[in-house]
Amino acid sequence: MTITYHELARLEPDARAALLRRTEADLSEYLEAVRPIVERVRDEGDAAVVDFTRRFDHVEVPVDGLRACEADFERAFAGLEPAVVEAIRFAVDGVRKFHEAQKPEAMWFQEVRPGAFAGDRSAPIPSVACYVPRGKGAFPSVTVMTTVPAVVAGVPRIVVVTPPGPDGSFDAATLVAARIAGVTEVYRVGGAQAVAAVAYGTETVPRVAKIVGPGSPFVVAAKRLLADRIDTGLPAGPSESIILADASANGRIAALDLVIESEHGPDSSAYLVTDSKAVAEAARAAIPEIWAQMGEQRVAFSQAVLGGPRGGILLAADWDDAVCFVNDYAPEHLEILGAEPFQHLGRIANAGEILLGENTPITLGNFVLGPNAVLPTSGAARTWSPLSVHDFMKRTSIAYVTAEGYGPLAKHAGVLARYEGFDAHALSVSDLRARFKAR
């Protein structure tokens, strides 16, 4: 199997730009495909959800089986290996601690000028749906990463939507993760129909204010179509990563961590970027050895990515060129390898997360470290942040002005109001206010 290999300095601008493209860069065909799905769910509710589940997931899920019942949770706990339950508890604990530390204070208020006070009050949003994908595996880690910060934020209604498995069942670990996190409302529906269901509400699936979580291009397209109906949160599409390695890095470790995100699926993206030919060659030589110890499906996914147009090894002309590519790409996951990884941190402007050193592989961040692993994809890390407790909260500005503080503020506000031509604004801070107060 040939691994894609490019020398960045030898690429024409168009070829270099092509390396920056993601699977969902052009959603036009997906938008057209999901539009009738969204419209049918809007018009037919549960009946459409059940029909699309039959057509796309190839399983029969009755309307009264869409929501997990207590027996489903009990079976999940009974059937899951104790070590998996323990690992989920460990992950929930770490993610909860991180997001509790991140949670803003309920209100802050300070004197911004003499006699004028202003601040913010923070409160949870009313409801949210956490989308947990299922197509290429089962992902209780996504359940943890999406539900725990919502619980910490205090969201009153948190629901999980997740596709059924090949036999039509709920994923046991997803149910266990939801329950341990503190969520009991889980629905067996995925894809574009799940996004539409929580955007419009059906007889069974509730309408919510926001949806979070990663998904396929079909899910991303449905979110885009429904952005006027529901807050779709940060752009979280197929997985992507860059391993940035300097000349002091271990090429075999770089290869080991390059394969991590490539095994998610053929729509993922994964690059090793280095200015060292020795590191690049060591990594390229080690990848087949890693594949030899993986399952057939994951190897196929990894080979499709690392041997395709959205993955492989990129040899930069120098370190400046390597860093420039990373910042242009704005990866979801960035791992920096080298003897002194912290010395490179200040030069990274765009990345969803930055993991430093050979003891901090992406795997730790994806499952147990604490920071959220739902991250902006497709270059959105230029302006978006990782999913956090802030995504489940809203801020309301609070202000109070004393009689003593009013005068200077009114004077300058009046000048600006008149300049902008707003008569009522200007009158509200004119002498008319004092005359009205005196009556």
Side-chain angles (χ1 to χ4, degrees):
M1 172 68 199
T2 301
I3 297 163
T4 301
Y5 188 99
H6 293 290
E7 292 186 30
L8 290 177
R10 296 190 176 189
L11 295 179
E12 295 295 327
D14 287 350
R16 183 176 177 123
L19 298 176
L20 305 177
R21 297 193 191 111
R22 275 54 156 208
T23 306
E24 72 273 31
D26 181 6
L27 285 174
S28 55
E29 64 176 283
Y30 297 103
L31 289 168
E32 289 309 307
V34 304
R35 193 180 303 277
I37 299 171
V38 166
E39 292 173 350
R40 272 199 61 198
V41 172
R42 177 196 63 198
D43 296 339
E44 301 175 25
D46 283 349
V49 169
V50 169
D51 182 47
F52 288 128
T53 301
R54 182 186 306 112
R55 288 170 56 185
F56 301 141
D57 297 307
H58 311 294
V59 294
E60 294 285 344
V61 176
V63 170
D64 62 3
L66 287 174
R67 179 173 177 175
C69 63
E70 186 58 32
D72 291 318
F73 284 99
E74 291 174 358
R75 280 193 296 270
F77 274 92
L80 209 58
E81 294 181 14
V84 177
V85 177
E86 181 184 359
I88 290 172
R89 291 190 189 280
F90 183 88
V92 167
D93 181 62
V95 173
R96 178 177 288 123
K97 287 175 179 175
F98 178 87
H99 290 83
E100 283 175 345
Q102 189 183 64
K103 186 177 180 180
E105 56 186 316
M107 191 173 88
W108 64 268
F109 207 55
Q110 67 181 37
E111 191 170 22
V112 294
R113 291 184 181 278
F117 300 82
D120 276 337
R121 183 184 67 185
S122 296
I125 62 175
S127 55
V128 68
C130 300
Y131 187 88
V132 179
R134 184 81 190 271
K136 304 182 185 75
F139 305 103
S141 60
V142 177
T143 310
V144 173
M145 294 293 176
T146 54
T147 59
V148 170
V151 171
V152 170
V155 177
R157 187 170 199 180
I158 306 166
V159 307
V160 170
V161 287
T162 185
D167 61 354
S169 67
F170 286 98
D171 171 54
T174 295
L175 290 182
V176 168
R179 175 59 64 86
I180 291 173
V183 175
T184 60
E185 205 170 340
V186 182
Y187 294 89
R188 189 167 22 177
V189 54
Q193 61 268 32
V195 181
V198 296
Y200 289 109
T202 71
E203 299 90 333
T204 301
V205 183
R207 179 183 178 185
V208 297
K210 185 170 188 171
I211 182 169
V212 300
S216 69
F218 293 98
V219 170
V220 175
K223 287 181 178 181
R224 185 169 297 181
L225 275 182
L226 290 162
D228 63 338
R229 295 284 307 181
I230 186 172
D231 182 343
T232 55
L234 67 89
S239 300
E240 56 187 54
S241 66
I242 286 182
I243 309 300
L244 178 62
D246 67 21
S248 67
N250 182 323
R252 294 170 65 81
I253 294 295
L256 192 62
D257 292 353
L258 173 63
V259 175
I260 293 172
E261 293 302 296
S262 74
E263 74 168 339
H264 272 283
D267 54 358
S268 299
S269 306
Y271 291 113
L272 166 61
V273 179
T274 181
D275 62 342
S276 166
K277 188 169 185 179
V279 170
E281 294 299 338
R284 183 156 61 171
I287 290 171
E289 179 184 344
I290 298 164
W291 282 340
Q293 301 179 62
M294 295 166 55
E296 182 178 347
Q297 183 187 52
R298 297 299 171 183
V299 170
F301 290 160
S302 183
Q303 289 179 342
V305 174
L306 299 182
R310 293 183 300 276
I313 298 172
L314 307 181
L315 180 62
D318 52 34
W319 190 248
D320 287 344
D321 188 33
V323 171
C324 180
F325 183 86
V326 170
N327 284 326
D328 286 345
Y329 194 87
E332 176 190 19
H333 305 275
L334 173 64
E335 183 178 320
I336 302 179
L337 296 178
E340 299 291 340
F342 276 92
Q343 73 179 5
H344 305 308
L345 181 58
R347 299 192 60 188
I348 303 302
N350 303 319
E353 72 171 0
I354 303 172
L355 304 168
L356 298 164
E358 63 181 26
N359 296 316
T360 320
I362 294 170
T363 303
L364 297 187
N366 278 347
F367 294 112
V368 298
L369 196 54
N372 210 288
V374 177
L375 303 161
T377 62
S378 200
R382 294 182 189 91
T383 57
W384 284 84
S385 305
L387 192 71
S388 72
V389 72
H390 303 287
D391 290 284
F392 302 95
M393 304 189 78
K394 57 182 181 178
R395 291 180 296 106
T396 302
S397 296
I398 309 292
Y400 170 73
V401 177
T402 66
E404 293 74 21
Y406 169 78
L409 295 173
K411 173 187 173 182
H412 293 293
V415 170
L416 292 172
R418 287 188 295 274
Y419 179 83
E420 294 189 6
F422 288 111
D423 295 340
H425 284 66
L427 285 171
S428 75
V429 291
S430 71
D431 292 343
L432 187 61
R433 186 175 207 88
R435 295 203 301 267
F436 280 5
K437 287 171 68 175
R439 291 180 184 175

